[in-house]
Amino acid sequence: MVKLGRTIKLRLYPDTNQAEQLLAMSQEYQRLANIVSQWIFDHGFQLSWLKINHHLYKIFRQESELNSQMIQSVFRTVSARYKTVREQMEQHPYRYKSEENKWIQVPRDLTWLAKPIQFRRPQTDLVRQSNYSFVDGMQKISMTTLGRRTKLGFTDKGFEKYFTDDWKLGTAKLVHNQGKWFLHIGITKEVSDFDTKDNPQIVGIDRGLRFLATAFDSEGKALFFDGQKILRRRKKFLEIRQQLQSKGTKSAKKKLKRLAQRENRWMTDVNHRLSKTLIALYGPHTLFVLEDLTNVTFNMNDLPKPLRNSHRSWSFFQLESFLMYKAQAIQSAVVKVSPAFTSQRCPKCGLVEKTNRHHDTHEYWCKQCQYRCNDDRLGAMNIQMLGQDWLSGVKQPKIEKLTTAG
């Protein structure tokens, strides 16, 4: 069994008095979180909940109106944030060039932080039943505030199925955004694992910008997901961003921030829709095979100059993560394989030759066996082949460079 995780977002409808209570509670939670963060920073990054609780619990209970359960939540919130930052630093070591002009990587940990992590927005984490619960026949939410409980109306539009489909509700986060209140609730559900013995179909997916994705399946069929509209819209975002940056005014900076948020929401929506389409097309018991694009750079010579930054900034990892969790829900899986030579290998004779790929015409033409193919389709074919190797037991499948007929 595998445990699925989701987040449902409920819109809350507090009256004026309730909104003030929620804001006061969130600000107090934020204040204590910053105190805990400073303590962790000053005491050698001790992230043990027991140690933090031992040193700060009694002090907080004496000076704060937050109840016992919420104070414990503050400790867990801050500790979890530091652990996340630590993981991110471990995944991205410091890199520099030595005197011999070689890249050197130095591992990083929390001691690299120059100042404690700051919680800049009011926030609150609420434990189910202790701090929030559904009452009045699931028509209202009863929620803890400073010193009392209150009932609020809410809407679950778009998330109704999660209340009736064996999902378990967990800790929730109270969010205040542009004058509106939301409750983000983490939910979990156990489903059957992906079974490699269940004769799954294998789909290789080549990601890019000209085509957002090119898929090649076990039946030899290819699907292309056009990215031209995406490129044009990104170009438009870029033009607006450059205009605002050239002004440099306070108003322009605010508009830049809003533009960045809008672009991020749009990118997220594109990746959600693309991953949902792939899941719907191929269905359960499918092995989706992707290239591991960590630290991979792209050839951008065939892109217009204004859009060459798009390859660096497009969220390939986001599409990967969306596809991964959607696949789990239907007993499918995602596996990542080495990207080496996937755009250079001839699927007919096995020759690996860089010059066989012609970027200007988007074609692969093997000079040894004369096999011709669209270059994006070829990439998806080779990725699908590596998926077959993985399914047959090869732990880290990759293409070996052959320069003569195989």
Side-chain angles (χ1 to χ4, degrees):
M1 300 294 285
V2 62
K3 183 176 287 188
L4 301 180
R6 299 285 188 275
T7 299
I8 59 176
K9 301 176 182 180
L10 308 183
R11 170 79 184 276
L12 304 179
Y13 296 99
D15 58 31
T16 302
N17 184 48
Q18 289 173 325
E20 291 176 354
Q21 293 173 16
L22 296 179
L23 183 58
M25 177 179 65
S26 299
Q27 289 173 337
E28 176 64 4
Y29 196 100
Q30 175 195 19
R31 185 182 74 86
L32 297 189
N34 282 318
I35 293 174
V36 175
S37 181
Q38 184 68 58
W39 185 90
I40 290 175
F41 184 81
D42 293 339
H43 292 81
F45 301 101
Q46 298 182 45
L47 302 183
S48 166
W49 168 80
L50 288 173
K51 290 183 179 180
I52 300 171
N53 182 74
H54 175 74
H55 286 89
L56 298 177
Y57 177 75
K58 289 183 179 179
I59 298 174
F60 284 2
R61 285 294 287 155
Q62 291 173 356
E63 69 173 39
S64 175
E65 293 185 66
L66 289 185
N67 64 27
S68 175
Q69 180 64 65
M70 295 188 71
I71 289 175
Q72 304 292 350
S73 294
V74 171
F75 299 153
R76 291 188 173 91
T77 296
V78 181
S79 179
R81 180 74 65 84
Y82 269 95
K83 288 177 181 177
T84 299
V85 171
R86 182 176 63 189
E87 291 176 3
Q88 292 171 342
M89 297 178 82
E90 289 173 351
Q91 292 171 3
H92 299 89
Y94 176 72
R95 299 174 73 242
Y96 69 94
K97 276 192 175 181
S98 66
E99 295 180 356
E100 294 78 21
N101 204 33
K102 293 183 178 180
W103 282 104
I104 306 296
Q105 290 191 348
V106 179
R108 296 195 301 164
D109 57 26
L110 291 175
T111 59
W112 283 61
L113 292 177
K115 59 183 179 181
I117 294 172
Q118 291 294 306
F119 292 79
R120 302 185 185 280
R121 294 182 179 179
Q123 69 173 77
T124 312
D125 287 348
L126 305 171
V127 176
R128 193 188 175 203
Q129 303 301 357
S130 296
N131 303 134
Y132 82 94
S133 59
F134 292 90
V135 296
D136 298 345
M138 293 290 291
Q139 297 302 307
K140 289 190 175 183
I141 293 178
S142 174
M143 189 178 300
T144 298
T145 60
L146 295 181
R148 55 173 293 185
R149 301 273 294 196
T150 188
K151 293 182 180 180
L152 302 89
F154 72 96
T155 178
D156 60 356
K157 185 177 180 181
F159 299 101
E160 299 91 344
K161 65 177 182 179
Y162 295 109
F163 290 96
T164 59
D165 197 20
D166 299 327
W167 291 89
K168 293 183 179 180
L169 278 65
T171 300
K173 184 180 292 293
L174 184 63
V175 177
H176 187 219
N177 186 22
Q178 296 182 350
K180 299 176 183 179
W181 288 93
F182 300 88
L183 195 65
H184 295 185
I185 305 176
I187 59 175
T188 57
K189 177 183 177 182
E190 288 191 344
V191 298
S192 300
D193 285 311
F194 171 74
D195 190 353
T196 58
K197 299 178 181 178
D198 199 22
N199 193 29
Q201 68 169 324
I202 306 171
V203 179
I205 300 175
D206 182 51
R207 289 167 287 174
L209 284 180
R210 195 171 67 92
F211 290 107
L212 292 181
T214 303
F216 184 84
D217 61 26
S218 302
E219 297 179 357
K221 296 179 180 178
L223 289 175
F224 297 85
F225 297 87
D226 190 16
Q228 296 300 320
K229 290 183 180 179
I230 305 299
L231 285 173
R232 287 195 291 270
R233 187 161 183 184
R234 285 185 67 78
K235 183 180 179 182
K236 186 65 177 178
F237 274 117
L238 178 63
E239 290 172 350
I240 297 173
R241 186 160 52 247
Q242 289 174 337
Q243 291 173 6
L244 292 172
Q245 288 172 338
S246 65
K247 291 182 179 179
T249 63
K250 188 175 182 180
S251 175
K253 290 178 181 178
K254 288 183 179 180
K255 290 181 180 179
L256 273 170
K257 186 176 181 180
R258 290 197 297 270
L259 181 70
Q261 293 171 344
R262 182 151 58 94
E263 186 174 9
N264 286 336
R265 289 194 300 270
W266 166 70
M267 289 171 62
T268 298
D269 180 63
V270 170
N271 282 324
H272 260 307
R273 286 188 284 113
L274 178 54
S275 58
K276 186 176 180 179
T277 300
L278 288 166
I279 291 296
L281 282 171
Y282 295 106
H285 310 299
T286 298
L287 179 66
F288 295 98
V289 190
L290 305 175
E291 293 173 300
D292 185 352
L293 298 181
T294 306
N295 298 323
V296 171
T297 57
F298 296 86
N299 187 317
M300 294 173 285
N301 294 332
D302 57 340
L303 288 177
K305 285 186 178 180
L307 294 175
R308 290 183 181 177
N309 188 55
S310 294
H311 252 125
R312 301 186 184 95
S313 58
W314 183 253
S315 47
F316 289 108
F317 175 75
Q318 188 185 65
L319 173 61
E320 176 184 308
S321 63
F322 288 169
L323 185 62
M324 192 173 293
Y325 84 73
K326 285 179 170 66
Q328 284 184 333
I330 59 169
Q331 290 77 55
S332 293
V334 173
V335 64
K336 294 192 291 185
V337 297
S338 170
F341 310 122
T342 55
S343 63
Q344 302 176 23
R345 175 188 175 275
C346 175
K348 187 174 180 180
C349 69
L351 175 71
V352 175
E353 177 56 59
K354 185 176 182 180
T355 58
N356 282 348
R357 184 183 184 185
H358 305 284
H359 290 278
D360 53 341
T361 59
H362 302 291
E363 184 181 38
Y364 182 91
W365 189 349
C366 180
K367 60 185 179 182
Q368 180 167 270
C369 71
Q370 304 304 308
Y371 176 78
R372 298 177 71 170
C373 178
N374 171 274
D375 58 355
D376 293 295
R377 182 177 187 272
L378 176 109
M381 291 174 69
N382 283 320
I383 294 168
Q384 195 265 355
M385 179 205 69
L386 292 175
Q388 292 177 343
D389 292 344
W390 182 87
L391 204 61
S392 65
V394 181
K395 291 184 178 180
Q396 294 180 327
K398 62 181 180 178
I399 295 174
E400 299 295 341
K401 186 171 184 179
L402 300 178
T403 54
T404 57

